[in-house]
Amino acid sequence: MPRGFHRLMAAQFCSSLADNALLIVAIALLAQRGLPPWWAPLLKLGSTVSYVVLAPFVGVLADAWPKARLMEVMNALKLLAALALLAGLHPVAAFGLVGLGAAAYAPAKYGLVTELVGPERLVRANGWIEVSVVGAALLGAVLGGLLVSPRLLGHAALAPWHDALPQACGPLAVSLAVVVAIYALAGLTNRRVPDSGHPLQRVPLHPRALLRDFGCANRTLWRDHEGGLSLTVTTLFWGLGATLQFAVLRWAEQVLALPLAQSAGLQAVIGVGVVLGAAVAGRYVPLAAARRMLWAGVLLGLMMPLVAATQQLALAAALLLVVGAVGGLMVVPLNALLQHRGHVLLSPGRSIAVQGFNENASVLAMLALYALLLKAELPIVQVMALYGLLIAASIGALAWREHRRGPRI
């Protein structure tokens, strides 16, 4: 891999680690304020809205600015959001700011990857990026669980820090200070990421022209057969993944009787599985074989009712490990195919912005449905089974269509 690729991975790992730890701490803050459980998905909704609303603008911004420097600026915005939360800003509002930073960070990051490596190494690069992203989610969930642990927060050694930090967040102020420090480390690491040297693009400045350009790019990617197929799959996958991030916490609390600090560990188990699946896909699945991995999506969906019905911790952890692995096997090759088609048909920044728009619109829809189902007091076991069967049926229909279409000529 090129020299700058590993530095990019390190920078995005630190930033993503802070994002995921901050989510667990923010959920604990909501509970500390006595808010009902259905508020937790609103954290993700608050950040995801930015991806959808800003998608027509962040793609061209990533093409018009040096991508490494844009990543640096957006990480600083996420750092500012964590500081505002520490000062007393409502968690949902703070995650709205995190979303503003993440919305532009993503097309800059993935666009830079596409520019740094060629098509023949894109699946491998995506495998490493996915390992890094999910590894950060894994460690972020574990770190977040540790940071909200009553044993840690009540430790006598932290008493001076409690007195020195703002009191708006109570004992969780120390937890937020740790997250702020990780964002600062991400910023320092990002300064060492070189740019690709690709020429910057001139973009229209009028909002109407930007919206028209984005609409055209969105239609182009959807109408392309391979682009539309991979976009459909990744859109479904990330919508389900965002929902499972909250559903597993709720399920572990209700069915397995685990506290939040330990429930976050089950999120980490899924992350380990995704890392394993992504590593295998990056090593053994070439770009030309990406469409053959749809079977993994069907298996992923069918396993969700099985997981939901499990009441033993060890068996639940094993099943969640397999769920993560088959998810990684599916999403890494198809994500690489989507980036390749986007690079061919559009530009790196615009194609990633289109991808982010559709995937995060799916996240919004699935999380909104999840919050409504919780508010209606539908049992979490039924909710997880419903989502799994929906994914299995959708990806199964895509696989059947590809089978009928036959091999490409």
Side-chain angles (χ1 to χ4, degrees):
M1 290 295 174
R3 173 178 57 92
F5 177 76
H6 300 93
R7 295 179 182 177
L8 184 153
M9 280 211 311
Q12 74 86 33
F13 176 85
C14 292
S15 189
S16 183
L17 177 69
D19 291 346
N20 287 278
L22 184 62
L23 178 62
I24 301 297
V25 176
I27 292 173
L29 271 173
L30 292 176
Q32 180 178 278
R33 296 185 181 190
L35 294 172
W38 58 266
W39 271 84
L42 298 184
L43 293 171
K44 196 76 173 181
L45 286 172
S47 63
T48 306
V49 165
S50 297
Y51 279 92
V52 177
V53 174
L54 297 179
F57 311 102
V58 295
V60 293
L61 179 65
D63 287 330
W65 273 32
K67 294 178 176 59
R69 304 290 72 80
L70 183 58
M71 290 169 59
E72 188 177 342
V73 172
M74 293 303 111
N75 181 79
L77 182 57
K78 293 194 282 187
L79 170 61
L80 179 63
L83 287 171
L85 185 57
L86 182 60
L89 184 65
H90 194 283
V92 173
F95 262 78
L97 281 178
V98 171
L100 289 176
Y105 194 96
K109 174 182 70 176
Y110 284 108
L112 187 55
V113 169
T114 307
E115 292 177 350
L116 286 173
V117 304
E120 69 282 356
R121 292 184 293 181
L122 195 53
V123 172
R124 184 182 174 197
N126 266 272
W128 280 111
I129 284 289
E130 212 59 46
V131 166
S132 177
V133 169
V134 178
L138 182 162
L139 292 177
V142 172
L143 176 62
L146 178 64
L147 291 176
V148 301
S149 169
R151 178 178 297 181
L152 176 69
L153 295 177
H155 200 284
L158 295 180
W161 291 98
H162 287 303
D163 297 335
L165 292 168
Q167 300 301 306
C169 298
L172 291 171
V174 174
S175 308
L176 287 170
V178 173
V179 175
V180 167
I182 299 172
Y183 276 128
L185 176 62
L188 293 175
T189 308
N190 220 132
R191 293 186 66 85
R192 294 177 54 81
V193 178
D195 209 58
S196 65
H198 279 229
L200 303 180
Q201 296 189 11
R202 299 176 66 90
V203 298
L205 297 179
H206 196 283
R208 185 176 299 174
L210 289 172
L211 289 172
R212 187 165 51 246
D213 178 78
F214 179 79
C216 180
N218 191 42
R219 287 191 299 273
T220 297
L221 202 52
W222 274 113
R223 289 172 179 173
D224 179 71
H225 180 78
E226 291 185 331
L229 171 68
S230 52
L231 188 55
T232 301
V233 173
T234 59
T235 295
L236 289 170
F237 177 84
W238 291 115
L240 175 66
T243 306
L244 283 182
Q245 194 172 19
F246 295 95
V248 167
L249 292 175
R250 185 72 174 160
W251 170 76
E253 177 188 354
Q254 289 191 350
V255 177
L256 302 180
L258 296 178
L260 178 60
Q262 295 181 28
S263 300
L266 286 178
Q267 284 188 339
V269 170
I270 300 176
V272 170
V274 175
V275 167
L276 294 175
V280 171
R283 176 67 178 83
Y284 295 107
V285 182
L287 190 62
R291 295 186 304 156
R292 301 175 193 167
M293 304 310 294
L294 291 173
W295 64 265
V298 178
L299 179 59
L300 168 65
L302 292 178
M303 288 192 67
M304 291 310 304
L306 186 60
V307 171
T310 303
Q311 297 183 3
Q312 297 179 359
L313 178 58
L315 180 58
L319 290 174
L320 288 172
L321 183 71
V322 177
V323 165
V326 294
L329 275 171
M330 177 190 69
V331 77
V332 166
L334 285 160
N335 196 58
L337 178 62
L338 178 56
Q339 290 183 26
H340 173 63
R341 295 304 299 163
H343 186 65
V344 170
L345 297 169
L346 305 170
S347 64
R350 289 161 71 213
S351 66
I352 298 300
V354 168
Q355 180 180 353
F357 169 79
N358 287 281
E359 290 175 359
N360 286 283
S362 171
V363 170
L364 281 176
M366 290 199 184
L367 280 178
L369 176 61
Y370 174 71
L372 289 173
L373 292 175
L374 285 188
K375 191 171 177 59
E377 300 184 353
L378 191 70
I380 190 64
V381 171
Q382 295 182 20
V383 172
M384 292 176 65
L386 176 65
Y387 272 79
L389 294 175
L390 173 66
I391 293 299
S394 300
I395 297 183
L398 291 173
W400 175 248
R401 188 190 71 175
E402 289 301 303
H403 174 73
R404 288 178 60 86
R405 181 171 181 258
R408 291 185 63 200
I409 300 175

